[in-house]
Amino acid sequence: WTARSFEIYTSNVQTNSGVIHVVGSMVYYSLPPGNLQIDTTGTGTPLTLEKNLPVQVSKSGSVPIDGTVLEIGGASPENIIYTLEKAPEHGWLVMNGTRFLKEGDRFTQNDIGLLNVVYINDVEGHDDVITLSVVSKSGFVLEAFDFKIETD
């Protein structure tokens, strides 16, 4: 048996949400502080903003952010990663009922489908907006966009 030399194409692309690593035909996405995840969806497809509808909430009320108002297409839900670029000014985003999300925090489309992301309006009852960016584990990026919260 003799060893052969060969070349493997590698590249790294820095994004706002992490680093995309391409090794041969495999695509990896690392989230800070470096947990490496493999994309099992193959080469993937570009992300598309399928739904971005304002959500309605009452003054001092809460509402889950679900797939009827916010949905990204182009990858499976667990491979679509949202980053909170701008937090709400008149309320809070809460994950799993226990963690207040701050700018830079992440969640997936799967979290949205499971109703894990909830907006809570403050006592003033003003309309609100959050800014989100999206990346898939296969490296496709959706630029930052606003998601509106309206009080009734």
Side-chain angles (χ1 to χ4, degrees):
W1 185 78
T2 2
R4 290 189 199 158
S5 68
F6 60 94
E7 288 185 30
I8 297 176
Y9 173 75
T10 62
S11 67
N12 296 314
V13 177
Q14 179 70 46
T15 69
N16 290 340
S17 304
V19 179
I20 301 160
H21 310 275
V22 179
V23 181
S25 63
M26 301 300 291
V27 177
Y28 300 87
Y29 182 75
S30 64
L31 301 172
N35 54 335
L36 196 60
Q37 300 178 11
I38 187 167
D39 175 17
T40 58
T41 63
T43 58
T45 57
L47 297 175
T48 55
L49 183 57
E50 300 290 329
K51 293 181 187 165
N52 182 13
L53 304 171
V55 68
Q56 301 290 320
V57 65
S58 59
K59 178 179 176 180
S60 300
S62 64
V63 62
I65 309 298
D66 65 24
T68 65
V69 294
L70 183 59
E71 183 180 17
I72 303 297
S76 57
E78 65 276 4
N79 290 331
I80 297 173
I81 304 164
Y82 291 85
T83 300
L84 182 60
E85 301 290 343
K86 181 180 171 291
E89 293 181 13
H90 303 290
W92 305 270
L93 276 183
V94 180
M95 180 74 163
N96 295 323
T98 59
R99 184 172 61 113
F100 289 91
L101 296 176
K102 61 187 181 316
E103 291 175 1
D105 283 346
R106 296 178 179 88
F107 55 91
T108 66
Q109 185 71 45
N110 196 50
D111 290 319
I112 290 173
L114 294 171
L115 307 179
N116 289 338
V117 181
V118 175
Y119 172 80
I120 302 171
N121 190 256
D122 65 14
V123 296
E124 300 297 320
H126 295 290
D127 289 353
D128 218 338
V129 65
I130 60 174
T131 303
L132 301 166
S133 63
V134 185
V135 65
S136 69
K137 288 184 182 176
S138 52
F140 290 97
V141 176
L142 192 62
E143 294 300 319
F145 62 93
D146 288 342
F147 178 76
K148 295 180 182 176
I149 299 114
E150 298 175 347
T151 53
D152 33 44

